[in-house]
Each structure stands twice: as structure tokens, then as C-alpha cells.
Amino acid sequence: MTIQWFPGHMAKARREVSEKLKFVDIVFELVDARLPLSSRNPMMDQIIQQKPRLVLLNKADLADPHQTKLWQGYFQEKGFVTLAINAQDNKGVKNIVPSAKIALKEKIERDRARGLKPRAIRAMVIGIPNVGKSTLMNRLVGKKIAQTGNKPGVTKGQQWLRSGTELELLDTPGILWPKFEDPEIGKRLALTGAIKDQLIHLDDMALYGLDFFARYYPGRLSERYQLTQEQEKELAPELLMTISQKRGFREDYDRASEMIVFEIRSGKLGSYTLDRYEEYDK
């Protein structure tokens, strides 16, 4: 599966973010905890460079907790402070400011030594589409979005949003989909719903999901769809047909595929992580 992007649009978004970086203290990089690498724009490191960063693994409630810990270790080894959150249910969001202060420890101490008065942390949230940026922004600023006005030296019209007294967010353009060659990344993004269903074949995604769960989470399919051990060992196409029959869809494999994909996305088959740390480590 190939996702297309347009260099002109990518260049524009990159330029806008680069211009706004100088106005913030820290970048909140938002990724999907189920695919911490596949949901990152590979150009992010080049764009952000040495700016302090807090990596937020969103939708952690849907991800394999063991894998999430391993991936947090991966980002920490790269020098980033990390935090697992679920913006939809507001879980972990209250820990963002304390974590940001850890990432900004040197700057805070430097400002204190210079006798500067403490002020709110200025941050921007960056992430590929559909990773939960809007939900997180709404959680941070609350229902009533307060505009704090233009800051000195900030280009006119740039919008700052206040989150309590300790955090101000700079409204930024979304970073578009990255260009990548690995079709596996496209499948992972599609299975989690990061790509519009109109652009994919749900039966392909159902087969991919069935194969993945049979391989990495044996027993989950048997438990969910009342399969025997032998049935769970079937190849994905035969498995799809078996589940379709058991759920009363008969030969309507499109409906069965839609159901399977929905249940994977919503966590009906349990928490899971598509980016396997042990495979990356090898």
C-alpha cells in the first residue's frame, strides 16, 4: 500500500513549522502508541533538530503495555522525555506539564540563574493526521479555548492557546503524511484507521489483521470468535471465511471484513502493538 504526498504541500508545512519553532520552548511530538515508529514523520528529527522534545504515545489504552514500555525506552535512549497518554479519556494528560518541565530542566535552571521571572511554557503539538492532535489540544485548553494574544516578536496572526497558567500552545499546521517505501507501514496505518477507509480495501486489512493476531497474540481470535485451535491456525483467507460463517454473514466477506477491522481498531480483540520492538531491535 502506497500513500502519496505532494512535495509542495510538504515543503509548505515544513517551512511553517520551522518558522514557528523559534517561538516555542518545546515540541510535543504525538505518535500512536500502537505504531510508535510508523506514525512518525521520518522528517521530524530534521525539522525539530535540537529543540527540546516531549514524545507523547497517544491511545496507550489500545496498545500492548509491555511494548509501550519498550518503545518509551527506545525514545528515552534517543534523549527524549516520553509519556504514555490517552487523550480521548484524558488519561495521563495532567502529567504533560510536569514531563515538559523535566525536558526543559536546563533551560529553567538557566533562566532562574539569570534572574528571569518564571513564565508559562510555550509549546507546539506536532503529529501526522489522525494521531489525535485535535483531541489533545482540546483536552489541554478545555472547552473554552482562550487566546492569549500575540507575543512580542511573533508574526502577526499566530494564535496562542492557554492551558491553565503553566502552558501556552502555539496553533500549528498539521504535518502531512510522510513519503515512505515500506508497504508494511501503509498497512499498519490503515489497520488502525489512520488512513481513510475509502482509500483502502477493508478485506485486505482484515486479512492483515487476522494474520497479525494469529502470529503475535495467539488465542485472541479463538476467544473472540469461538474458534478451535485448529481453525485459528488456518491461513488468513480461510480464517476469514470461518469467522464469516460463525458470525452469520455466510459468504458476505465484505461485511465480515468490516466487522473484523472495526473490532481490531476498537480494542475488542484486546490491546496490541503493530510496531514490534523486538523486530526493530534485531
Side-chain angles (χ1 to χ4, degrees):
M1 176 176 295
T2 301
I3 298 176
Q4 301 294 333
W5 61 278
F6 302 94
H9 294 175
M10 174 67 80
K12 179 182 178 183
R14 177 182 174 183
R15 184 174 63 252
E16 290 182 6
V17 170
S18 297
E19 290 173 351
K20 294 184 176 185
L21 274 175
K22 57 188 175 185
F23 303 126
V24 302
D25 304 313
I26 188 171
V27 171
F28 296 162
E29 182 182 359
L30 198 61
V31 300
D32 188 325
R34 295 169 296 177
L35 48 167
L37 283 190
S38 296
S39 60
R40 292 186 77 218
N41 186 320
M43 297 173 63
M44 202 63 71
D45 291 338
Q46 184 181 1
I47 295 172
I48 299 175
Q49 296 185 7
Q50 300 303 314
K51 180 71 68 173
R53 189 184 328 186
L54 172 59
V55 178
L56 301 171
L57 284 76
N58 193 28
K59 305 180 183 180
D61 58 312
L62 296 174
D64 183 331
H66 176 65
Q67 287 285 320
T68 297
K69 289 182 179 179
L70 292 174
W71 281 115
Q72 283 187 279
Y74 162 83
F75 287 116
Q76 289 166 0
E77 287 180 5
K78 291 175 69 70
F80 307 140
V81 177
T82 70
L83 182 65
I85 66 171
N86 177 19
Q88 187 67 43
D89 293 335
N90 210 24
K91 294 180 180 178
V93 175
K94 66 179 180 181
N95 296 323
I96 289 179
V97 170
S99 297
K101 289 181 178 179
I102 294 175
L104 289 169
K105 181 180 179 181
E106 291 184 7
K107 179 186 182 304
I108 292 173
E109 291 179 349
R110 190 166 58 247
D111 288 348
R112 185 183 295 117
R114 294 168 59 191
L116 297 178
K117 184 179 179 181
R119 60 165 174 77
I121 295 171
R122 296 171 184 168
M124 71 162 67
V125 182
I126 286 181
I128 64 174
N130 301 305
V131 78
K133 176 186 168 186
S134 296
T135 301
L136 177 61
M137 296 276 284
N138 289 336
R139 288 297 183 189
L140 287 171
V141 302
K143 294 182 178 180
K144 294 183 179 179
I145 297 179
Q147 193 170 342
T148 62
N150 294 335
K151 299 297 178 183
V154 179
T155 304
K156 183 179 180 181
Q158 293 197 345
Q159 189 179 45
W160 290 84
L161 308 175
R162 179 175 288 278
S163 174
T165 60
E166 296 187 291
L167 180 64
E168 294 176 358
L169 298 172
L170 180 58
D171 197 14
T172 61
I175 295 293
L176 304 181
W177 289 113
K179 178 183 179 181
F180 51 79
E181 306 299 333
D182 187 356
E184 190 75 10
I185 294 177
K187 292 177 181 178
R188 293 171 185 171
L189 290 167
L191 185 59
T192 56
I195 302 173
K196 293 181 179 179
D197 287 343
Q198 297 91 322
L199 303 178
I200 63 176
H201 297 291
L202 284 179
D203 54 344
D204 289 340
M205 290 305 95
L207 295 175
Y208 178 77
L210 290 172
D211 183 68
F212 172 82
F213 272 89
R215 180 179 179 184
Y216 292 103
Y217 299 100
R220 297 270 190 94
L221 296 175
S222 298
E223 182 179 354
R224 181 65 186 172
Y225 301 114
Q226 289 78 53
L227 305 175
T228 65
Q229 290 185 348
E230 290 303 316
Q231 287 174 326
E232 187 173 20
K233 294 178 181 178
E234 294 175 341
L235 295 176
E238 287 73 25
L239 197 51
L240 174 60
M241 289 188 285
T242 299
I243 293 174
S244 181
Q245 292 291 331
K246 283 185 170 291
R247 284 298 178 94
F249 297 134
R250 298 187 180 181
E251 296 183 1
D252 191 345
Y253 303 126
D254 287 339
R255 284 185 61 198
S257 296
E258 184 177 0
M259 175 205 67
I260 291 169
V261 171
F262 172 79
E263 294 197 340
I264 290 175
R265 288 176 181 173
S266 59
K268 300 291 186 182
L269 275 72
S271 59
Y272 62 96
T273 297
L274 296 170
D275 284 350
R276 310 300 296 178
Y277 177 82
E278 60 273 15
E279 295 181 0
Y280 169 84
D281 192 43
K282 292 178 182 178

